[in-house]
C-alpha cells in the first residue's frame, strides 16, 4: 500500500494542535493519506523516549489521532530510541514495547522506529551478538512487529536506518555493509525510509532508487527533505516539488514530505507534492507551482489591500528550493551583479533596471508586515527582514554608484553599521571560512 503525505519530523518547535488540524484538512482535500508524527523536539520522541506520556499528553495525542482519523487519514507515530538505547538490554526493549502499547491503545495505525541522526556506535557485547549495528537495530524492529500486530492487526512498522541517504552510505556511516545487512535481517513487512542521494536531495533518479531497493530488498519509502528548512534559519522553501521524475513513484512504497518547520509556510510543499502524486504523463514543476501559488494568493491579503500575483511570484522565487533560486530571483541577482560590477558602457542602464526591481521587492517585504494572517507574517518575518536589509543596502549602493562619474562603489550607510549589521558570532565565523563552488573551504585573510 503506497503511503503519501506529511512527516512532522524536523528540528525546532513542533506544530500546534491548530496547525496539525489545518494540515489534516489540506491533506484530506488534496488526496494525501498519511501523517507521521515525529517532531525531533518532542522530548518523548527522542530525549526521554523511555518515558510514557503523562495523562494530559495522552489526552492531547488521542484527540489528535481522532482528528486525523476523522479526515480519513492514517496516523503513524515515530519514536527515536537511538541516542542511548542499549540494543541487548531487555529493560530497554520492554520500555520500547510499553511506549508502543501506549500509543497503540490510543489508536495509532503504525509505529516508526527511527535511528536517524544518532552516533553509529554499538557496544562490544551487542556487536558480538548481532555482528553489526544494522543487525542489532533490525532485531529491535523485528521484535516489535508481532507485538504491534497483536495489539492492532494490520498496523504498520516502519524503520529509518542510521545511514539514510547515499552520501552517508558512501562515507561508511553505520559501518561497512550496513544497507545489505539491514535488507537481509529486517522483516520483509517493515518499510524502510530513505531520503535519496543526500539528506536534502536536489534530484532523485530512478536508477538510484532501484539500487537502494535491491540492497534493502524492498522499495523504500521516500522521506523527502526537499522543503525542510530546519538546517538554515535564514531560509524558507516555497518552491515546487521538483527534481523527481514521475517514474520515481513506481520505485517507492510511498512519498512523505518533511517540510518547513513553520507550518504556515508549507502550503506550496504540500500542494505541489499532491499535484505530483496525481500527475498523468508529464510533470512540469513550474506550471504546477504557478497553479498552486494562485491557490495560495488569497492568504496574502494585507490591511492595505491585496498583494498582486506577480509580487508573490517574485517573493516566492527568492525562497524557492534548497539548491535553486526561482527564475525571477536569479534574474534579480544577475542584474544586481551587473549594476554593481559591470564596467561596460551600459552599466548605467543595468543599474537603473536593478533599482526598479530591488526597490519593488524591498517595498513588498515592508508591505507584508500588514498581512491579515498574522501567523503567516510571523513565520515569514525574520526572513523577509533579512532580505529587506540586503535589498535596502543594494539600492543604496546602486544609487551611490549612479551618483558617481566613474562608477566606483565606495559608500557608507547609516542603516548598515559595523557590528549591528551582519554581526554576531555565527556571522563572524561565516566570514572566516569561504566556501568555493566545488565545496572546498579556504581561510579568508582579513
Ligand atoms: C535529517 C533528519 C530530519 C531533518 C532533516 C533536515 C532525516 C531522516 N532526519 O537528517 O529530522 O528535519 O534532516 O534537516 O531526514
Amino acid at each position: 500500500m503506497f503511503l503519501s503525505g506529511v512527516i512532522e519530523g524536523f528540528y525546532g518547535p513542533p506544530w500546534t494542535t491548530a496547525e496539525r488540524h489545518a494540515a489534516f484538512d489540506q491533506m484530506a482535500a488534496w488526496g494525501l493519506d498519511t501523517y507521521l508524527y515525529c517532531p525531533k523536539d518532542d522530548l518523548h520522541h527522542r530525549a526521554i523516549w523511555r518515558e510514557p506520556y503523562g495523562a494530559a499528553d495522552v489526552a492531547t495525542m488521542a484527540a489528535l489521532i481522532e482528528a486525523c482519523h476523522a479526515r480519513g487519514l492514517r496516523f503513524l507515530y515515530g519514536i527515536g530510541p537511538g541516542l542511548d538505547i542499549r540494543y541487548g538490554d531487555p529493560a530497554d526493549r520492554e520500555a520500547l514495547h510499553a511506549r508502543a502499547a501506549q500509543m497503540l491503545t490510543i489508536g495509532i495505525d503504525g509505529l516508526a522506529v527511527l535511528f536517524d541522526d544518532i552516533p553509529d556506535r554499538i557496544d562490544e557485547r551487542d556487536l558480538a551478538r548481532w555482528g553489526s549495528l544494522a543487525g542489532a537495530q533490525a532485531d529491535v524492529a523485528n521484535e516489535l512487529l508481532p507485538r504491534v500486530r497483536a495489539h492492532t492487526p494490520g498496523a504498520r512498522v516502519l524503520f529509518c536506518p542510521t545511514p539514510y541517504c547515499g552520501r552517508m552510505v558512501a562515507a561508511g556511516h553505520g559501518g561497512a555493509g550496513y544497507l545489505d545487512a539491514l535488507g537481509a535481517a529486517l522483516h520483509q513487512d517493515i518499510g524502510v525510509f530513505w531520503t535519496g542521494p543526500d539528506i536534502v536531495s536536489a534530484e532523485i533518479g530512478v536508477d538510484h532508487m532501484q539500487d537502494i531497493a535491491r540492497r534493502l530488498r524492498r522499495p523504500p519509502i521516500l522521506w523527502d527533505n526537499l522543503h525542510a528548512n530546519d538546517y538554515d534559519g535564514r531560509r524558507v522553501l516555497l518552491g515546487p516539488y521538483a527534481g523527481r521524475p514521475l517514474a520515481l513513484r513506481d520505485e517507492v512504497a510511498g512519498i512523505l514530505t518533511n517540510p518547513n518547520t513553520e507550518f504556515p509556510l508549507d502550503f506550496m510543499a504540500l500542494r505541489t507534492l499532491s499535484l505530483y502524486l496525481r500527475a498523468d504523463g508529464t510533470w512540469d514543476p513550474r506550471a504546477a507551482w504557478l497553479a498552486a501559488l494562485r491557490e495560495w494568493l488569497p492568504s496574502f491579503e494585507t490591511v492595505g489591500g491585496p498583494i498582486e500575483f506577480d509580487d508573490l511570484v517574485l517573493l516566492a522565487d527568492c525562497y524557492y528550493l534548497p539548491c535553486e533560486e526561482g527564475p525571477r530571483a536569479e534574474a534579480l541577482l544577475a542584474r544586481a551583479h551587473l549594476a554593481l560590477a559591470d564596467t561596460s558602457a551600459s552599466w548605467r542602464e543595468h543599474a537603473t533596471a536593478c533599482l526598479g526591481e530591488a526597490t519593488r521587492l524591498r517595498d513588498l517585504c515592508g508591505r507584508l508586515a500588514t498581512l491579515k494572517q498574522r501567523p503567516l507574517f510571523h513565520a515569514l518575518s525574520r526572513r523577509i527582514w533579512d532580505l529587506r536589509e540586503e535589498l535596502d543596502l543594494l539600492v543604496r549602493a546602486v544609487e551611490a554608484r549612479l551618483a558617481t562619474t566613474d562608477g566606483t562603489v565606495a559608500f557608507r550607510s547609516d542603516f548598515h553599521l559595523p557590528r549591528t549589521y551582519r554581526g554576531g558570532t555565527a556571522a563572524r565565523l561565516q566570514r572566516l571560512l569561504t566556501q568555493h563552488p566545488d565545496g572546498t573551504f579556504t581561510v579568508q585573510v582579513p
Side-chain angles (χ1 to χ4, degrees), residues 9-11 40 116-117 160 164 195 199-200 223 225 228 230-231 258:
F10 39 74
Y11 294 85
K40 286 278 191 295
D116 58 318
D117 293 7
C160 183
Y164 48 84
T195 66
I199 298 174
V200 177
W223 168 311
N225 286 323
D230 52 4
Y231 55 86
N258 176 42

Side-chain angles (χ1 to χ4, degrees), residues 219-240:
I221 299 163
L222 178 57
W223 168 311
D224 209 324
N225 286 323
L226 186 67
H227 288 90
N229 71 336
D230 52 4
Y231 55 86
D232 187 343
R234 301 182 71 174
R235 297 177 72 184
V236 302
L237 284 310
L238 305 178

Side-chain angles (χ1 to χ4, degrees), residues 180-194:
D180 299 280
L182 182 70
L186 195 65
H187 191 289
Q188 197 54 47
D189 292 354
I190 298 178
V192 179
F193 285 115
W194 189 253

Side-chain angles (χ1 to χ4, degrees), residues 96-115:
L96 190 57
H97 299 159
R99 287 297 317 280
Q102 183 184 48
M103 297 312 296
L104 287 159
T105 303
I106 57 172
I108 61 169
D109 303 293
L111 189 80
V113 192
L114 307 177
F115 290 110

Side-chain angles (χ1 to χ4, degrees), residues 325-338:
E325 270 60 69
R328 294 282 292 278
E330 281 299 351
L332 175 67
L333 288 161
R335 208 168 277 158
H337 184 260
L338 287 173

